[in-house]
Amino acid sequence: MNQSINIPLPGNIKLTVKREDLLHPHISGNKFRKLKYNILEAKKEGKSALLTFGGAFSNHIAATAAAGKEYGFSTIGIIRGEELVNKIGDNPTLTFARDCGMMFKFVTREAYRLKSDSHFIKALQAEFNDFYLVPEGGTNPLAVKGCQEILSDGDKEFTHIACAVGTGGTIAGLANAAMPHQKVIGFPALKGEGLLDDIRKFAPNGNLELITDYHFGGYGKVTEDLIVFINDFFEKTGIPLDPVYTGKLFFGVIDLIGKGYFPENSNVLLVHTGGLQGIAGMNKELLRKKLPIIKT
């Protein structure tokens, strides 16, 4: 579903939001797309369990747990941060995943960095027996295949396609599916080098650009200005944004419009990748810091 944004903008620029957040109440946005073909492959291989990785407020952890419950898989989450083991009930994301039936293994941050190491994976196989491995953030070739389906024939009118970027699978799929006249712009939610190289492994020929000026300090970091923007946008449009991904994307696009980045008469499609489940956890942190909370 595409929704036009009727707010005054310079340069006769049009904004439209692709409401991927409405695909499913719990497996929403790009997580629905990324898991689609991985779920089919897991069934094809006769697996009964899904194992994946994520942090305390991970959209991917929540979506994988929900997908396991819906499609008949047991789920295992390797969670970054040993200190969380006794704090599940204080964390809305982990509480939701647990209630969907996910089993947790909490590991140190040092151990978590080994999530792609073959020896670490073999140790997990020895502990949990046979499982289908879904990488952190869900990004693999099957996830990119799913994300290519975000764009439809009706989206050919757009000149630019913008999305938030985490592990890079979503923007790779968009870049592969975009028409030659369309430029795909990614707004990384985290600091770090090498992300474009990772994306190019899945989308070697895509017409894409990463704009790295809107991470607001890094993954999961927010400022009062960002919160004010998210709440103002919700009041004007009725579209909720999350503070980790889509809030930064929309802030960046509208800021760049004001700076003249987009040519006059550009027709911009912003992909809403979901992630709204993370608002509850962020609001608890904002209340603790005595900052404004995010409205939904």
Side-chain angles (χ1 to χ4, degrees):
M1 170 186 163
N2 289 350
Q3 180 176 341
S4 297
I5 302 302
N6 298 312
I7 56 177
L9 296 167
N12 196 33
I13 290 171
K14 293 197 293 185
L15 286 185
T16 301
V17 181
K18 183 169 282 292
R19 297 293 306 272
E20 291 283 287
D21 57 308
L22 301 178
L23 285 176
H24 188 283
H26 302 301
I27 319 167
S28 75
N30 62 339
K31 302 309 177 188
F32 181 95
R33 303 292 189 177
K34 287 180 170 184
L35 286 168
K36 175 182 175 179
Y37 289 108
N38 277 290
I39 292 286
L40 291 174
E41 181 63 22
K43 286 185 177 292
K44 179 181 175 182
E45 293 181 12
K47 307 291 188 183
S48 61
L50 307 174
L51 181 143
T52 196
F53 304 84
F57 300 100
S58 167
N59 296 323
H60 175 65
I61 287 291
T64 302
K69 181 179 179 181
E70 182 153 330
Y71 297 109
F73 293 90
S74 61
T75 52
I76 305 153
I78 310 303
I79 309 298
R80 182 179 62 245
E82 276 188 318
E83 72 280 1
L84 297 167
V85 67
N86 295 316
K87 299 179 181 179
I88 296 172
D90 297 327
N91 182 298
T93 300
L94 296 180
T95 298
F96 171 79
R98 179 197 62 192
D99 292 347
C100 287
M102 179 172 274
M103 178 192 309
F104 299 125
K105 178 179 175 67
F106 296 92
V107 299
T108 65
R109 282 159 174 75
E110 291 74 24
Y112 190 84
R113 295 188 189 104
L114 301 173
K115 58 187 177 290
S116 300
D117 180 81
S118 60
H119 297 291
F120 185 60
I121 300 301
K122 286 180 181 178
L124 292 174
Q125 288 169 336
E127 182 174 355
F128 295 109
N129 299 315
D130 197 25
F131 54 74
Y132 183 87
L133 177 66
V134 182
E136 181 185 42
T139 292
N140 61 12
L142 290 174
V144 174
K145 178 182 177 181
C147 289
Q148 288 173 193
E149 297 177 354
I150 292 173
L151 297 179
S152 67
D153 288 342
D155 296 326
K156 294 177 181 178
E157 64 180 299
F158 298 104
T159 58
H160 298 77
I161 299 159
C163 74
V165 178
T167 53
T170 303
I171 192 173
L174 291 170
N176 288 338
M179 302 296 290
H181 69 276
Q182 295 176 317
K183 183 174 184 179
V184 179
I185 309 166
F187 291 75
L190 62 165
K191 295 189 287 186
E193 302 297 325
L195 183 55
L196 184 58
D197 292 336
D198 291 339
I199 295 166
R200 285 296 185 194
K201 294 173 186 175
F202 297 108
N205 302 312
N207 177 19
L208 62 89
E209 177 185 2
L210 295 184
I211 296 178
T212 59
D213 300 328
Y214 297 96
H215 53 65
F216 287 82
Y219 181 75
K221 304 291 185 182
V222 298
T223 66
E224 190 163 349
D225 285 345
L226 178 62
I227 298 164
V228 168
F229 168 82
I230 289 171
N231 287 338
D232 182 63
F233 188 84
F234 179 63
E235 288 176 5
K236 289 178 178 177
T237 67
I239 299 175
L241 303 175
D242 85 285
V244 178
Y245 292 106
T246 54
K248 296 176 181 183
L249 161 68
F250 282 63
F251 185 105
V253 167
I254 291 174
D255 191 56
L256 288 176
I257 289 172
K259 293 177 178 177
Y261 171 88
F262 294 95
E264 192 169 351
N265 300 314
S266 290
N267 193 0
V268 184
L269 179 67
L270 296 94
V271 179
H272 194 313
T273 49
L276 300 176
Q277 68 84 29
I279 293 175
M282 179 63 75
N283 276 345
K284 290 186 74 170
E285 190 66 13
L286 293 173
L287 284 170
R288 188 181 66 81
K289 294 179 178 179
K290 298 182 179 178
L291 289 170
I293 64 169
I294 296 160
K295 300 174 184 177
T296 57

